Amino acid sequence: MAYGTRFVGRVHTMNSFHPERNQLVVGPDGTIDGFDLPLFEDEMSVITLPAGAVIVPGLHDAHTHWGQAIFGDGTVSLEGVSDLAEAKRCIKAQAERQQTGWILVIGWNSALLAKSRVTQAWLDKIVRDRKCMVLNRSFHEALVSSSLERVLLPTLPSAYEGEVANGYLQAEPVWMALGAFQMDRELLNKALIRRQNVMFAAGFTSIAEKALDGTVVLNALRDMYRSGELFIPCDAHVMTYMLRRDPMPAFTEGPFRVCGIKQVMDGAFGNCLACIAGHGTYPDGTEGRLLFNRDQLLADTRQAVALGYDRLAAHCIGTGAISETSAAFMDLLWALPVHMARRLTFSFEHFETPSPLVVRGVASLQHKGLKIEVVPTAGFTEDRKVYADRLPREVLDRINPYAELMSEGVRWREGTDGIITGDNPWWGMAQAMGRDGSQAITFSELFARYIGEPLTVGRPADFVVLDSDPFADTTCLKDVKVLETWIAGRKVWSRPR
């Protein structure tokens, strides 16, 4: 019987002690035994990599969304649609294909199709008495058909942050509606398995779910992790409204951990031009506000800690929103007991345009040992080109200031934001490598922010096999393909031949 497995081919360990090796040896317990060890006959099986293929550490997506599983076959996208008649054709065709359940429409861009034209009366004429939800591309606003509105309104709590008016939902009511999305459980389970395979195909061996919405998906995830159908390690955050609305169970152990809550800042940049996200009202990115008052945030945080959660994430797009998040986190650090504050991880989700002052402040707190997580999205670097003619220079220059983060010693991890920029991290890396001027970054520096951990003796063998070497030619990053994904020495996905 073979004692472990030896992989023969180039290995990028990302470990400073031995960054490159020609073999990886995985023991029978799924941990790494070593690199370039002597071969003893019959002691282990040998796998030789295909020509040009390499092994790299498994990736960690620090910002993704399980809930995207519901945006599958039963969903129509209006991405890029600017003609009202075309939008009508797309929705009507989906209604004809899908005879039951909610009709879910995503990708609506209010800069291309103005709200004054996309009305509830217009939608009702298309779907008649069907339940339909049209989501803005930022997922912070939605139009619902009158039949769906009649069902949703009685389920909303007496107090919430946001608005329901003229068929439009804003902020919390949108997320509550998504959390109540009606989908056959068998179809949902299959969709979640597909979503896991999407992550494996991208090279992810662990993830952080940053906005678990509603108990429907939560319960499905809980059951499927318990049955072993889902097994990609996941740290999940639930929306704060869920703490107030439903008694939240504490899943703080195992491959699926509900370990944090998510708060939202109202703020963006270029929103009137549909740049990045259209949920704020601050086109220059200089303003922002906490969606809830800070007393509520403190109460939510205390309740989360009591449940065993140890993380607080804030969605904060734009310089103003990031600054407001920083101020809110500082308030919490002062207001919470010291032992509680030091236990919590405070996470900036969308740290793409921080002010120099915030960058220095975050670096200082990290250096003092506080758990401050910084998660930008490399894919948003593309907006420096896409919106070069529409956004102020001072905003463009602050999209992913990598060199500044490194010079201040900020520790950060990269995320994809799932459906917003796509699940392909290699495309995001390609955009980031196009970051020119004083804020440029090397591939090694960037890739270090994507991996779960370096390949190290004694640690779990979480790695991926790529068809080509991204370290050899970064101009081809967007074309890199994952051939195999391994977790703890077990192959969990391979590319179909």
Side-chain angles (χ1 to χ4, degrees):
M1 180 177 179
Y3 182 83
T5 305
R6 179 186 299 271
F7 295 83
V8 179
R10 175 168 289 186
V11 181
H12 291 285
T13 69
M14 296 300 291
N15 189 316
S16 58
F17 293 104
H18 35 68
E20 287 191 32
R21 286 292 183 262
N22 295 313
Q23 295 182 19
L24 169 67
V25 179
V26 178
D29 62 351
T31 63
I32 296 174
D33 273 358
F35 306 93
D36 300 353
L37 297 178
L39 177 62
F40 297 99
E41 189 175 356
D42 297 329
E43 283 196 357
M44 62 181 63
S45 59
V46 177
I47 297 176
T48 301
L49 301 187
V54 297
I55 287 175
V56 299
L59 307 187
H60 173 76
D61 194 340
H63 178 185
T64 190
H65 303 292
W66 272 114
Q68 290 175 209
I70 67 176
F71 305 138
D73 297 337
T75 305
V76 61
S77 176
L78 298 183
E79 190 69 42
V81 175
S82 58
D83 179 69
L84 199 63
E86 176 61 20
K88 177 181 177 179
R89 283 193 293 272
C90 291
I91 298 171
K92 187 174 182 179
Q94 180 63 30
E96 292 172 352
R97 286 193 300 269
Q98 179 188 337
Q99 295 299 313
T100 61
W102 294 19
I103 301 167
L104 196 59
V105 184
I106 62 175
W108 164 50
N109 186 334
S110 56
L112 300 178
L113 284 174
K115 287 176 61 175
S116 60
R117 303 176 68 200
V118 183
T119 65
Q120 189 178 69
W122 171 81
L123 183 61
D124 283 345
K125 288 181 181 178
I126 302 172
V127 301
R128 299 182 183 277
D129 60 348
R130 297 283 299 278
K131 298 179 180 65
C132 181
M133 185 175 186
V134 182
L135 284 154
N136 186 289
R137 67 197 302 264
S138 70
F139 297 95
H140 289 252
E141 186 172 38
L143 171 68
V144 295
S145 62
S146 57
S147 60
L148 180 53
E149 185 178 25
R150 287 193 294 270
V151 172
L152 286 176
L153 286 182
T155 70
L156 296 179
S158 57
Y160 53 79
E161 182 64 32
E163 185 180 19
V164 179
N166 301 317
Y168 274 96
L169 315 180
Q170 290 183 328
E172 270 201 309
V174 179
W175 310 323
M176 292 175 183
L178 278 174
F181 180 71
Q182 295 176 1
M183 187 175 186
D184 178 82
R185 182 59 181 268
E186 183 178 351
L187 292 177
L188 177 57
N189 289 1
K190 290 179 179 178
L192 290 170
I193 290 173
R194 284 199 302 269
R195 179 104 189 98
Q196 178 176 250
N197 284 331
V198 166
M199 297 170 187
F200 287 153
F204 293 115
T205 54
S206 62
I207 60 171
E209 154 64 72
K210 282 293 171 66
L212 192 52
D213 228 349
T215 54
V216 174
V217 175
L218 172 63
N219 291 336
L221 288 168
R222 176 200 62 196
D223 294 344
M224 295 183 73
Y225 268 94
R226 286 175 176 173
S227 69
E229 295 171 276
L230 298 177
F231 48 87
I232 186 170
C234 173
D235 285 346
H237 297 65
V238 295
M239 302 296 287
T240 49
Y241 82 83
M242 295 170 65
L243 291 178
R244 294 180 233 117
R245 226 180 147 195
D246 301 299
M248 287 296 304
F251 308 123
T252 56
E253 300 293 336
F256 175 63
R257 299 194 316 136
V258 179
C259 60
I261 56 175
K262 174 177 175 176
Q263 177 57 278
V264 174
M265 292 288 168
D266 180 21
F269 55 89
N271 64 289
C272 61
L273 301 165
C275 174
I276 306 272
H279 58 279
T281 54
Y282 319 108
D284 63 356
T286 59
E287 299 181 65
R289 69 182 181 90
L290 187 67
L291 197 59
F292 291 98
N293 65 55
R294 292 177 184 177
D295 288 341
Q296 183 65 67
L297 176 57
L298 179 59
D300 289 340
T301 303
R302 287 183 181 275
Q303 184 178 355
V305 172
L307 288 168
Y309 301 168
D310 59 9
R311 296 170 184 268
L312 169 62
H315 174 99
C316 48
I317 293 180
T319 305
I322 293 172
S323 297
E324 280 293 304
T325 297
S326 178
F329 285 170
M330 289 302 297
D331 283 352
L332 287 173
L333 285 169
W334 282 107
L336 292 170
V338 174
H339 71 279
M340 191 179 293
R342 286 200 168 272
R343 173 184 168 187
L344 280 170
T345 295
F346 298 87
S347 178
F348 290 86
E349 175 189 319
H350 285 299
F351 201 77
E352 286 96 31
T353 57
S355 71
L357 181 62
V358 169
V359 172
R360 290 194 295 271
V362 166
S364 176
L365 292 176
Q366 287 183 337
H367 297 160
K368 291 176 181 177
L370 291 170
K371 299 175 182 177
I372 309 295
E373 182 184 55
V374 171
V375 184
T377 300
F380 285 154
T381 311
E382 182 191 37
D383 292 315
R384 298 184 71 248
K385 299 176 181 177
V386 174
Y387 298 99
D389 61 336
R390 311 179 198 180
L391 293 179
R393 172 52 55 186
E394 58 270 21
V395 174
L396 291 169
D397 287 345
R398 294 218 60 78
I399 297 179
N400 288 333
Y402 292 125
E404 185 177 328
L405 296 179
M406 288 185 292
S407 67
E408 294 290 346
V410 173
R411 297 185 295 276
W412 84 89
R413 308 194 79 171
E414 288 286 341
T416 64
D417 201 6
I419 199 170
I420 302 300
T421 61
D423 294 294
N424 184 353
W426 308 99
W427 177 87
M429 292 180 215
Q431 304 311 309
M433 290 307 297
R435 186 71 168 93
D436 54 4
S438 62
Q439 299 293 351
I441 188 171
T442 69
F443 179 70
S444 292
E445 291 165 338
L446 178 67
F447 191 63
R449 275 76 184 183
Y450 271 97
I451 65 172
E453 63 177 3
L455 298 177
T456 305
V457 174
R459 298 295 299 160
D462 297 344
F463 63 92
V464 293
V465 180
L466 306 178
D467 70 334
S468 58
D469 189 348
F471 289 85
D473 185 3
T474 58
T475 63
C476 298
L477 275 173
K478 68 181 187 302
D479 300 318
V480 167
K481 291 182 175 59
V482 175
L483 300 180
E484 296 177 353
T485 301
W486 293 67
I487 295 180
R490 179 167 71 100
K491 182 164 64 174
V492 297
W493 183 86
S494 60
R495 180 169 294 279
R497 296 184 177 181

